[in-house]
Amino acid sequence: MKKQPLGLYIHVPYCIHKCGYCDFNSHPIKHEEMIHYVDALVAEIKHYAKIYSHDNFIKTIFLGGGTPTTLETGQLELILEECANNFTIASNGEITIEANPATTDAKQMKSIRRSGYNRISIGIQSFDKKELKALDRAHGPEEIHSTIDQAREAGFDNLSLDLMFAIPNQSLSNWQDNLRQTLEKKPEHISTYNLTIEQGTAFSKLQSLGKIAMPTEDHQLDLYKESIEFLVNNGFLHYEISNFAQPGRECAHNITYWENKNTLGLGAGASSYMEGIRFKNVNLPSQYIQNIIEKRIGVEQKESLKRRQAMGETIMLGLRLMKGISIPQFEKRFQ
């Protein structure tokens, strides 16, 4: 039987600082724990390779977080090496690593590029010092420029930059300036995310105390429309709600999610969807490590989707894509 493509997501849950808006599974750096965490990832890779490597090949790998570049260079190289040792990775596979400004240096950037990571996604959020402070970011504009320059010098020719709009007090001209400066860095891919106050975050508490006021919905919509018009007029394809790419540089890994295809998630809090079964690992890194030691898996939740439920999810996710959903493919998949 022909091997099927598989998207592999690996979560690194450590950050030098948790931003006020962040509701991702991220935790403070603990160097001792991080050593055991990488060991647990390697064990989990080997466990799932025994189950899935015979019938699947890896089409995309995505190291997300947290901040993956908080790991040592050798650890990042080891993770990718173990993926290659235990799975077949497509020769043209897309291998992405997330990075935040000020969490990497030129030497590390060159090493991770040499080891096989061929796409980098940098969370810049804004070029404006006041906006970065409002977002509780741990870096300034200078680190943004130096990190992007280091990535290019290291040989990354597939660069994605993350921006955030609807920041409190952000004007249309501020947002236009962010978009202009982003284009000046000549990225292959741009993600523009609407700031949302998520329950349980530091921003949520500040909002409840009246210390954060979000822009009106009309203003947020104006900023979003400006993103689309500006980036499309400058040659980018608006291929998904929040994502824009130069032709041929769409994020293949994320498209796998939006098409509701098989994805295997490794690490603390990572989610998987394999052949109609959805399962999720425990969030706390120490508990994840313990689970891997004891059971070889970190799963805390598992459900088998009924066909109608899987159809609904496929529609919901597929409608994020500008191309929409292929009716013939949908009919073939669900009969």
Side-chain angles (χ1 to χ4, degrees):
M1 188 177 79
K2 187 179 177 183
K3 286 192 174 187
Q4 297 301 306
L6 176 65
L8 183 63
Y9 175 77
I10 301 173
H11 191 71
V12 179
Y14 301 102
C15 273
I16 57 172
H17 164 76
K18 192 173 182 78
C19 301
Y21 58 84
C22 178
D23 72 333
F24 293 142
N25 184 34
S26 63
H27 302 268
I29 289 172
K30 295 180 181 177
H31 293 291
E32 178 84 16
E33 182 181 85
M34 290 160 81
I35 294 169
H36 299 300
Y37 186 84
V38 173
D39 290 340
L41 277 177
V42 170
E44 195 180 21
I45 289 168
K46 290 178 178 178
H47 170 79
Y48 283 118
K50 291 176 184 176
I51 301 170
Y52 296 120
S53 63
H54 179 72
D55 296 325
N56 299 274
F57 70 93
I58 301 297
K59 182 182 177 183
T60 62
I61 299 175
F62 196 109
L63 252 75
T67 309
T69 45
T70 55
L71 292 181
E72 293 180 4
T73 304
Q75 292 173 315
L76 294 170
E77 292 172 348
L78 175 65
I79 290 168
L80 193 53
E81 188 179 298
E82 289 296 335
C83 290
N85 288 342
N86 290 278
F87 286 93
T88 300
I89 301 176
S91 58
N92 62 344
E94 176 192 272
I95 305 174
T96 302
I97 185 167
E98 286 185 336
N100 282 340
T103 62
T104 186
D105 56 35
K107 184 179 178 182
Q108 184 189 44
M109 199 73 84
K110 288 177 182 176
S111 294
I112 59 179
R113 178 66 191 94
R114 268 198 311 269
S115 68
Y117 295 94
N118 55 32
R119 183 177 183 273
I120 189 164
S121 177
I122 302 175
I124 62 175
Q125 313 314 347
S126 173
F127 283 94
D128 184 273
K129 190 176 287 188
K130 288 182 179 177
E131 290 181 354
L132 289 170
K133 187 176 180 181
L135 286 172
D136 198 23
R137 297 293 286 175
H139 65 84
E142 302 80 12
E143 286 92 347
I144 293 173
H145 293 291
S146 62
T147 302
I148 293 171
D149 291 345
Q150 288 167 5
R152 289 306 199 191
E153 288 165 11
F156 279 100
D157 62 359
N158 197 352
L159 167 70
S160 180
L161 300 178
D162 288 359
L163 288 173
M164 193 167 282
F165 67 91
I167 300 166
N169 301 313
Q170 184 180 55
S171 67
L172 182 60
S173 61
N174 285 148
W175 179 235
Q176 289 168 331
D177 190 52
N178 271 310
L179 291 169
R180 275 195 296 270
Q181 290 196 62
T182 302
L183 276 193
E184 287 172 5
K185 307 312 286 189
K186 296 181 169 56
E188 282 70 38
H189 188 280
I190 299 170
S191 297
T192 61
Y193 297 115
N194 191 330
L195 175 62
T196 306
I197 307 295
E198 301 290 354
Q199 197 170 2
T201 61
F203 276 20
S204 175
K205 294 172 187 173
L206 290 173
Q207 188 181 47
S208 68
L209 295 171
K211 294 184 178 180
I212 284 184
M214 287 293 288
T216 64
E217 288 191 358
D218 284 346
H219 185 58
Q220 293 183 46
L221 180 59
D222 287 341
L223 297 173
Y224 179 55
K225 286 180 175 178
E226 179 63 24
S227 313
I228 297 168
E229 184 177 354
F230 184 86
L231 293 173
V232 169
N233 285 344
N234 280 278
F236 279 76
L237 296 174
H238 183 206
Y239 73 99
E240 190 269 346
I241 290 174
S242 305
N243 287 274
F244 303 81
Q246 292 181 8
R249 295 304 187 110
E250 300 88 342
C251 180
H253 184 83
N254 285 343
I255 289 174
T256 303
Y257 288 127
W258 297 321
E259 292 183 343
N260 208 21
K261 293 180 178 176
N262 285 345
T263 53
L264 180 62
L266 308 179
S271 294
S272 301
Y273 179 73
M274 296 294 297
E275 303 300 342
I277 299 173
R278 197 173 295 288
F279 47 101
K280 177 190 172 297
N281 283 347
V282 64
N283 281 342
L284 193 64
S286 60
Q287 186 62 57
Y288 162 77
I289 293 167
Q290 192 62 36
N291 283 9
I292 296 296
I293 291 171
E294 294 175 358
K295 301 181 288 187
R296 289 296 179 195
I297 59 171
V299 176
E300 67 167 355
Q301 297 173 12
K302 191 172 186 177
E303 66 171 332
S304 197
L305 272 61
K306 294 178 181 176
R307 188 171 67 159
R308 188 173 182 84
Q309 188 180 1
M311 289 166 71
E313 285 194 5
T314 301
I315 292 171
M316 178 270 292
L317 291 165
L319 288 176
R320 290 186 62 100
L321 292 165
M322 301 308 289
K323 69 178 183 181
I325 299 160
S326 164
I327 299 301
Q329 287 179 14
F330 187 87
E331 289 178 339
K332 182 180 179 182
R333 179 173 178 177
F334 295 106
Q335 300 302 307

